[in-house]
Amino acid sequence: MNNIVDLSSGLSSDYGKLYESGKYTDVSIQVGSGQNNKIFLAHALVLCTRSTYLENRLTGNTEAPNEIQRTTMAFEEVVPDVFEILLR
């Protein structure tokens, strides 16, 4: 009996669908400046799992590292098109 189910095979696709749907977002990220800016809605859990840098930004690197301290971030020096590639 080989009852192993591989759930990872569609994980990337599932994350993509979740991002595209905009459902359950809990973080707002303003990227760019002036006329070239965009607000991205994202999921803190995914960001923290995929990036130590973003995890530190969201948790504030405080004494309670398992708690999200921020729900908004800004990256004025980043081009929105490039950030969207990184976010996906």
Side-chain angles (χ1 to χ4, degrees):
M1 285 178 63
N2 195 359
N3 294 334
I4 298 174
V5 177
D6 182 11
L7 299 176
S8 66
S9 63
L11 188 59
S12 180
S13 174
D14 291 343
Y15 275 140
K17 289 175 189 173
L18 181 63
Y19 173 72
E20 289 294 326
S21 76
K23 290 182 179 178
Y24 318 116
T25 59
D26 53 359
V27 176
S28 172
I29 307 168
Q30 183 173 341
V31 179
S33 61
Q35 294 287 348
N36 189 24
N37 72 69
K38 184 174 180 179
I39 295 175
F40 294 91
L41 301 177
H43 304 87
L45 176 64
V46 175
L47 296 176
C48 290
T49 302
R50 302 289 296 163
S51 169
T52 304
Y53 174 77
L54 293 175
E55 179 182 23
N56 288 336
R57 289 281 307 261
L58 288 168
T59 62
N61 208 9
T62 63
E63 294 175 14
N66 295 328
E67 295 181 22
I68 301 299
Q69 302 295 319
R70 303 180 69 168
T71 57
T72 61
M73 290 188 288
F75 296 102
E76 294 181 5
E77 66 283 352
V78 178
V79 177
D81 292 343
V82 172
F83 188 81
E84 185 160 20
I85 291 169
L86 296 173
L87 193 57
R88 291 179 178 270

